[in-house]
Each structure stands twice: as structure tokens, then as C-alpha cells.
Amino acid sequence: MDTKGAGRSLAWLAAVWGASRAVLLLTVFKVITVTGPDVTSDVSVIYRGWYEVLRQGTFPLDDVTWQYPPAAALAVLSPGLLPFLDYTDAFFVLACLTDLAVLCLLLRYGGQPGRSRRGAWLWTAAVPLLGPTVYARYDVMVTAVAVAALLVAARHPRSFGVLTAIGAMVKVWPALLLAGSFRRRPWTSAAVTASGLAALFAVSMPGAFAFLTFQRDRGTEVESLGALVFHVARHFGWEGQVLLNYGSIEFLGPYVGVVSTAALVLTGAAFGWLVLWRLRVARTDELTLAEAAFTAVLLFTVTSRVISPQYLVWLIGLAAVCLTHRATRVTAPALMVVAASLVTVLEFPLGFVHVVTSDWYGVTLMFVRNGLLVAASLVAARRLWRSTVSPERAAASPAADHAEGKTVSP
């Protein structure tokens, strides 16, 4: 075993992580100025306001920008763990520490037999491509929970279920981690944990589920796939507007409802594909669990009415978990996500004015970024299907696999 080579690789990894994260911290602390909107205002204004309300034992009932499950309160309240720092500063420090925790998890599991440290390298290299946004949102925190859940799944299926439920109660999407789980224990643990947390928040804090109404009323955000229709249509006389609506910049006007409905239909189609895959899957294992989670989140992100820059953090985290497996089949989609992350920082915050005004530079950025995500979704879905649904058993049910003892995933 080349211990010297491994040591040098880890030293380089630590150096790259440290240097890139130092730059991120300098940008969020405004030592380095970044062109475009102030991405830190979400923390200093919105999160800080929520923090003051949540400390009183209630959710922000009158704030339509509160669109998160009740356990999101834990992330917003977390800076209170560092009372010696200002709220905003404490949030950035905790985001950086969470980033480091993810790296440590990926390194630990990537060093096991049959594993690879490529996942740690992808996380280290891709996260800073998103710019200061990654530390100015709580998505890195929920991504850490999702990464931990997938990494412990094989040996601790109940813990996998518990962590998945906690993540879902913070920001919904980690529920998709269960897409590739075929055993009962994770589902049972997830259901019990989610029910318990929901009941606890419902009886202890008013307005725990007001977010459901706020999410339902959202429109088509300017960075989403569906928004491309209106970006182009504005050059041909479309009479709609771009306004701040429900906490994001959205298109409002003729046919927006139609496009938003089409996005929901596409999301339903993605769900239907996942159900069909589960019914026909012939071989599952720990790698399948990770790749199914990555594919599911990709599909639901691409078809969403909103594709905010911080959503890429989820995909980077799940891609990194997949790459901890030497035999992963989604290297190409993972690299597409990395490329999409670089384009994302070009459109937000650096070029957001071009996106909002739908000039050709902004439209080009959105076509490239969303095109990369669509391509990653299709390639990941195709590879997941081809590697787990054999032609001979395409009609076989999961029950038959269980009976033959061939399903071994968490």
C-alpha cells in the first residue's frame, strides 16, 4: 500500500479545501466583494427575522417566505449555539463547519475497501463553484444529514431511516433518499421519526404546517426549466412581468399558470418513472441506493417550478456519495452537475441582472445550466435502469427478489 502517496493526496485535498473555504468565508464576511445581489441578506435579514420569531415559540405565520417543514426551525435557530458571535457571523461559521463535517464523512467512508476518495474530491472542488450562496443558505446543513444517512445505510438501516426523516422534516427532498430502499426497517424508522417530529412541532409551536399553503401558491421562478419559455417569449412580445413573489423572483402574467401546471405534470411523470423502476428492479445493493437517491433528486429538481442556486448543493452532496463507490455508474452525470454549478454562479449572483432582464447572455446561461441538469437527469436515469433492471427480469416484482434473497440494499 502506497501510504506516502495517500498521505500526499490527503495533504493536497486539505490544502484545496482550506484555501477554497477561506475564500468563501472572505466573500460572505464581505472582505471580498462579489458582483451582483447581496446573497448574505437572506441570513442577516430573513433568517435573523425568523430567528427572533421562532425564539418566541411560534412559526412565522404571517410571512409567506417561510416555506419549509417545521424542523427547518432547528437550522434557523442553530446560530444560537454560538452566543459569543453575531447571528449572521455564527451562521456562516456553522455552515463552514458543516461543510468540513461532510468532507470528513466522505473521507472516512471513501477510505474503506472497495471505496474511493473521489467523492471527497468532488465535494471539495464543486462546493466553492457555487460561490458565497453555499454558506448563505441552510441547504449545506440538510445536505450533510442526507450524506450521513446514505453513508450509514448499509450497516445501520434504522439510522438511515431516522436521518432521512430528520432531513425531510428540515427540507422535504431527503425523503427521496428512500427511493432505492427495499427493506422495511428504514421505511418504518423514517415513518416513526417523521410522525413523532410532526406531532411534537404541531403541539408545541403554532403554525408548524403553514408552509404547505405557501408552497402551493408559488409560481414559475426565473431560473427554473419552465421559465425558459418566458425568457424567450419576452423577446417576442410576451406581456408578463418579473416580480418578487413568495420570496423569489418569478414570472407573472399570461400562460404562467399553464407552465407551472406543466411542471407539476413533469414532476408526476418523474414520480411515475421511479415507481415503475421500483416495480421492475432486479438487483439492488448499497450502490443502487445511492444512485437511486441521486437520480430521484435530480429528476425532481429539474421538474420543479423553482431551481434556486442552493439546490445544486443537494446534488453535489449526493453525487459525492455515489463517487465514494469505485463501481459507480453515474460519474458522467456527477461531472455534469459540477459543470452546472460553475454556470450557476455565473448566473447568480454574478449575472443575475441579465437573467432577470432576459437578455441573450442571461438566457444563454439559463439554457446551458438547465440543459446540463436535464442531461444529467436523463443519463443518470438511463444508467440506473440499465444497471438494475435486467432484460430477462424486467417484469419481475421486488417480492420475487426478496424471496430469492437477492435484494440486499438497506
Side-chain angles (χ1 to χ4, degrees), residues 70-316:
L74 302 177
V76 176
L77 290 169
S78 63
L81 297 172
L82 303 177
F84 49 87
L85 291 176
D86 174 76
Y87 178 89
T88 304
D89 294 345
F91 187 93
F92 297 149
V93 169
L94 287 175
C96 184
L97 291 175
T98 304
D99 177 2
L100 178 59
V102 174
L103 176 65
C104 292
L105 285 170
L106 292 168
L107 282 173
R108 177 183 175 184
Y109 284 84
Q112 295 177 356
R115 296 291 192 115
S116 169
R117 290 201 169 102
R118 290 186 304 161
W121 272 107
L122 183 137
W123 176 262
T124 299
V127 165
L129 294 181
L130 291 171
T133 303
V134 74
Y135 281 0
R137 306 290 187 272
Y138 78 81
D139 294 80
V140 69
M141 300 175 182
V142 68
T143 299
V145 176
V147 168
L150 288 173
L151 291 175
V152 305
R155 295 185 178 180
H156 307 284
R158 287 193 177 89
S159 297
F160 165 61
V162 170
L163 289 170
T164 296
I166 293 172
M169 292 298 289
V170 174
K171 204 162 188 180
V172 181
W173 68 265
L176 294 170
L177 303 185
L178 292 167
S181 180
F182 292 86
R183 295 175 66 181
R184 183 176 302 172
R185 281 182 293 174
W187 285 87
T188 301
S189 299
V192 171
T193 302
S195 299
L197 285 173
L200 177 62
F201 280 108
V203 300
S204 62
M205 296 179 69
F209 296 96
F211 79 97
L212 294 172
T213 300
F214 300 153
Q215 279 284 2
R216 181 193 63 198
D217 295 334
R218 295 194 73 162
T220 296
E221 190 253 349
V222 294
E223 297 164 284
S224 66
L225 183 63
L228 294 175
V229 173
F230 302 111
H231 280 300
V232 174
R234 293 177 83 182
H235 291 268
F236 296 92
W238 181 69
E239 298 179 352
Q241 296 177 297
V242 177
L243 296 173
L244 179 63
N245 188 51
Y246 287 95
S248 64
I249 306 298
E250 298 181 353
F251 281 114
L252 299 175
Y255 307 108
V256 172
V258 174
V259 172
S260 296
T261 300
L264 293 175
V265 171
L266 286 175
T267 299
F271 179 78
W273 183 88
L274 284 171
V275 171
L276 180 62
W277 171 76
R278 283 183 62 90
L279 291 174
R280 295 192 173 185
V281 67
R283 182 177 63 81
T284 65
D285 51 27
E286 187 181 359
L287 175 56
T288 299
L289 177 70
E291 292 183 343
F294 176 57
T295 302
V297 175
L298 259 174
L299 289 170
F300 279 82
T301 298
V302 167
T303 60
S304 173
R305 293 172 293 173
V306 179
I307 307 181
S308 296
Q310 61 268 26
Y311 291 11
L312 275 293
V313 182
W314 318 343
L315 301 175
I316 292 170

